[in-house]
Amino acid sequence: MKAIYKTLLAAVAVTPLLTGCIEEAIDSSVITSGDLQGNASATTALVWGMPARLNLVTLDPDIHCDMGYTGVLHVRDVMTGDMPVEYAGGFDWFGWASAVTNTGSDWAMQQITWNYYYEQINTTNNVMRAIDPETDNELLRYNFATGLTYRAFLYLDLARMYEVLPNELFPDCKSDAGQDIKGLTVPIVTDKTTEDDSRNNPRATHKEMYEFILGDLVEAEALFSGNTTARLSKTIPDLAVLYGLKARLYLWDASYQAEINEDDAAAATQYAEAAKYARQAITTSGATPLTQADWQSTTQGFNDSSMSSWMFAGEYTAEDAVVQVGGIRTFSSFCCNEQNFGYAAPAQGAFTMIDAQMYSRMSDRDWRKLSYFAPENSALRGSEPFLNKDFAEENFYAYVSLKFRPGSGEMDNYNVGAVVAYPLMRVEEMYFIEAEATAHTNPSAGNELLTSFMKTYRYATYSNTLAAAEAVVEEIIFQKRVELWGEGQTFFDIKRLNYSVERFYNGTNWDTSRNTFNTNGRPAWMNFAISNQEARNNAALTAFNTPSCDGLYTPNR
């Protein structure tokens, strides 16, 4: 039998157009899906296939932004107003996303995202195909629960990226064929979906997707509850992560109920559920917010899944193919500026930065501000926790990020520096969800939750005098943006809350030749288009794809 770790179950029937190239995990001449039924060890191998696929190339080894989950995560970040990236003569492989080019359905970039998620969903479906959920075996029940939870994690990402919401370019949410696509997300593919089903599989409505994801989480919760199986790794979801996903799900639905359905009562109910499950995630996880020392560690800062606040993570190994090609297709390559092997290295110069306006709004008392190279006239200049001060002062300029460190602080050897963990869920997010969800219906209570978190965990002198719900929520979201900068979450809040993106202003550090867009409400580019490859093979999508906004935004200068 072939070694089972990074690969999938080829013996089980899959839907080719939704799963792309499937690596063979188990020699089909030796083992079948029937053999896996009841085989706890073999199904655990399938569970390990879920985090292993996080770091796999999806479509083309020559497209260096095709690097698995972190590639999509980085796309989401540069689509906001929080993360300018130095163009550096073309070394910014993600420039298409921030410049709003190649975002339409006929571009490879959309196929990469689509294929990645559905190939990853197939790994979760393989877990479910191999296990009878009625089994009494604790390990099998645990494995089934992890598969359901991971699938919910992926679909919640997809739903929030592809859901069609009104925007300044397409306020009526019509497809190019004139169909109403408001609230449509993506087709649902499960372990029961046949290839014939997939040929005519429509985009799920917001309600259908919400109920599907919630169904997976409710079923998984019942399987996790009372189960004594030890968690395999932080790369495998557990009950606390499940509660965190419920918090994200209810928050997403609450905003939809408030804006699209204009149902304040339903929104209030969902906000209450979001706050409830955020608190359950905090309590169940036992995780604690990062200390200043943890955050600013030059060897473990945001590269080690053992950090106290991390609930769910992805990890690289030195054997990963994206590491072996020089470490250039990794999270470190694009997001760690203190290294010499990747695209964010000085030789290439595609530095990631914090938005100058966002940086200026942060208090100098907030030690999170030290995660960025301060401007020359700043009182913070020279106080930043550098991995190598001479390196930074020679190569960096204002606002360059120091948040993410290369593995073990290794700047040159990619076999060490690119081997990092990256957060998929931190407990701090749950504090902000709890505060925001509360603030929508009780601004004072929400503000108290925010203030308590900030004074306890970030800086003791934090205060604000805000009272109106809209202002309190915006402040909570701002502090959440600061907290989760570079972790792929801000995109969802900007889109969900219909916030504008502002990149053109006096003192902007966005490239005025390409990226300085100011929007009125959520950007149209945050409604992802479905790859034409999928649309050609799925008749139900033909008239219901998201229109492209390529070329419809002009940079301000």
Side-chain angles (χ1 to χ4, degrees):
M1 189 187 334
K2 294 183 179 179
I4 312 168
Y5 175 71
K6 296 189 174 185
T7 48
L8 310 178
L9 177 60
V12 178
V14 296
T15 310
L17 65 155
L18 288 175
T19 55
C21 298
I22 304 301
E23 295 181 82
E24 188 173 348
I26 300 175
D27 191 332
S28 59
S29 67
V30 176
I31 192 165
T32 69
S33 58
D35 295 325
L36 283 171
Q37 289 286 346
N39 186 326
S41 298
T43 59
T44 299
L46 294 181
V47 168
W48 279 116
M50 298 187 300
R53 180 161 278 283
L54 284 172
N55 303 325
L56 295 185
V57 172
T58 297
L59 184 68
D60 190 336
D62 293 326
I63 300 177
H64 290 184
C65 56
D66 180 2
M67 60 185 201
Y69 189 84
T70 58
V72 183
L73 180 155
H74 197 50
V75 164
R76 294 199 300 257
D77 276 331
V78 301
M79 282 185 165
T80 70
D82 295 359
M83 183 185 278
V85 177
E86 179 65 25
Y87 182 54
F91 286 110
D92 174 19
W93 275 89
F94 294 87
W96 61 273
S98 56
V100 196
T101 61
N102 302 4
T103 63
S105 60
D106 52 346
W107 290 96
M109 305 310 176
Q110 300 312 307
Q111 188 178 344
I112 288 169
T113 301
W114 186 265
N115 284 13
Y116 169 75
Y117 271 98
Y118 278 98
E119 288 175 11
Q120 180 65 297
I121 285 167
N122 189 60
T123 68
T124 69
N125 286 337
N126 283 337
V127 173
M128 270 82 82
R129 290 185 184 107
I131 301 172
D132 178 359
E134 300 302 318
T135 179
D136 292 330
N137 183 289
E138 275 209 333
L139 178 55
L140 288 172
R141 289 170 65 83
Y142 177 86
N143 287 345
F144 198 89
T146 62
L148 287 168
T149 307
Y150 215 111
R151 185 167 72 181
F153 162 70
L154 295 167
Y155 271 113
L156 185 53
D157 269 12
L158 279 173
R160 293 179 293 171
M161 291 190 296
Y162 285 87
E163 180 178 36
V164 180
L165 295 178
N167 56 80
E168 60 188 340
L169 296 186
F170 305 102
D172 58 358
C173 295
K174 293 292 180 66
S175 71
D176 288 337
Q179 296 292 332
D180 184 0
I181 55 175
K182 183 187 294 182
L184 295 188
T185 61
V186 296
I188 295 172
V189 178
T190 74
D191 50 306
K192 303 295 193 299
T193 303
T194 67
E195 183 168 347
D196 286 343
D197 293 335
S198 70
R199 297 286 176 181
N200 192 29
N201 192 4
R203 301 177 74 166
T205 65
H206 174 98
K207 183 175 186 292
E208 290 167 341
M209 182 59 76
Y210 163 78
E211 291 177 346
F212 171 72
I213 295 171
L214 183 59
D216 270 3
L217 294 175
V218 168
E219 184 178 0
E221 185 175 1
L223 293 168
F224 273 134
S225 297
N227 197 309
T228 61
T229 303
R231 188 180 188 183
L232 297 169
S233 159
K234 281 190 180 179
T235 64
I236 306 294
D238 65 356
L239 185 60
V241 171
L242 183 149
Y243 290 145
L245 293 174
K246 274 193 170 184
R248 289 178 179 176
L249 177 68
Y250 283 118
L251 195 67
W252 171 60
D253 187 56
S255 296
Y256 188 87
Q257 298 302 331
E259 180 190 353
I260 307 302
N261 289 344
E262 298 182 341
D263 188 339
D264 291 341
T269 296
Q270 298 301 77
Y271 282 130
E273 290 295 289
K276 168 187 163 184
Y277 281 103
R279 176 48 54 179
Q280 284 193 230
I282 293 167
T283 302
T284 304
S285 68
T288 56
L290 296 175
T291 65
Q292 182 175 358
D294 289 335
W295 185 295
Q296 295 177 346
S297 170
T298 56
T299 55
Q300 292 181 292
F302 287 93
N303 65 24
D304 188 336
S305 64
S306 69
M307 297 182 81
S308 63
S309 78
W310 289 31
M311 297 170 58
F312 188 31
E315 292 183 340
Y316 291 95
T317 70
E319 291 74 32
D320 285 335
V322 291
V323 174
Q324 287 299 304
V325 293
I328 59 174
R329 302 178 70 160
T330 63
F331 187 74
S332 294
S333 173
F334 289 97
C335 293
C336 298
N337 295 306
E338 297 172 291
Q339 42 87 7
N340 284 308
F341 54 80
Y343 283 110
Q348 286 70 45
F351 298 129
T352 54
M353 300 172 281
I354 190 171
D355 171 68
Q357 190 168 242
M358 182 178 178
Y359 179 90
S360 297
R361 179 172 166 180
M362 295 171 66
S363 169
D364 281 2
R365 297 185 181 93
D366 185 347
W367 48 257
R368 296 174 302 178
K369 196 169 185 176
L370 294 172
S371 298
Y372 309 97
F373 196 53
E376 288 187 12
N377 61 352
S378 169
L380 299 180
R381 187 64 175 261
S383 300
E384 306 92 332
F386 299 115
L387 182 55
N388 183 313
K389 186 173 182 178
D390 291 340
F391 178 90
E393 291 184 343
E394 179 180 349
N395 295 296
F396 294 164
Y397 36 80
Y399 312 117
V400 166
S401 168
L402 306 170
K403 178 176 177 179
F404 301 103
R405 311 291 187 168
S408 302
E410 174 55 54
M411 301 175 68
D412 300 310
N413 182 354
Y414 64 82
N415 282 309
V416 178
V419 180
V420 299
Y422 46 89
L424 302 178
M425 182 183 290
R426 287 199 286 124
V427 75
E428 291 92 340
E429 179 191 354
M430 298 299 114
Y431 283 91
F432 287 107
I433 290 178
E434 181 183 38
E436 185 208 332
T438 301
H440 283 284
T441 56
N442 188 336
S444 176
N447 204 10
E448 285 179 9
L449 287 168
L450 170 66
T451 301
S452 174
F453 174 84
M454 293 295 294
K455 290 172 72 73
T456 303
Y457 298 112
R458 293 302 171 251
Y459 62 105
T461 58
Y462 174 84
S463 65
N464 70 67
T465 58
L466 303 171
E470 185 176 337
V472 172
V473 168
E474 194 280 332
E475 171 64 10
I476 292 168
I477 294 299
F478 175 75
Q479 296 300 340
K480 184 181 180 185
R481 285 165 53 201
V482 172
E483 184 72 28
L484 302 180
W485 184 93
E487 298 178 42
Q489 296 300 317
T490 293
F491 172 100
F492 299 128
D493 291 332
I494 299 300
K495 181 176 179 180
R496 174 175 60 83
L497 293 168
N498 196 21
Y499 281 176
S500 301
V501 165
E502 183 180 17
R503 298 177 180 171
F504 184 71
Y505 50 84
N506 186 32
T508 185
N509 57 331
W510 289 84
D511 185 343
T512 55
S513 70
R514 307 167 69 238
N515 299 325
T516 42
F517 310 119
N518 291 346
T519 71
N520 180 19
R522 68 175 60 89
W525 65 75
M526 287 188 173
N527 291 339
F528 275 47
I530 295 174
S531 165
N532 268 347
Q533 181 195 43
E534 175 63 20
R536 283 192 294 268
N537 288 286
N538 183 347
L541 301 181
T542 303
F544 293 87
N545 209 342
T546 304
S548 170
C549 59
D550 283 0
L552 300 183
Y553 283 96
T554 302
N556 295 284
R557 296 183 173 90

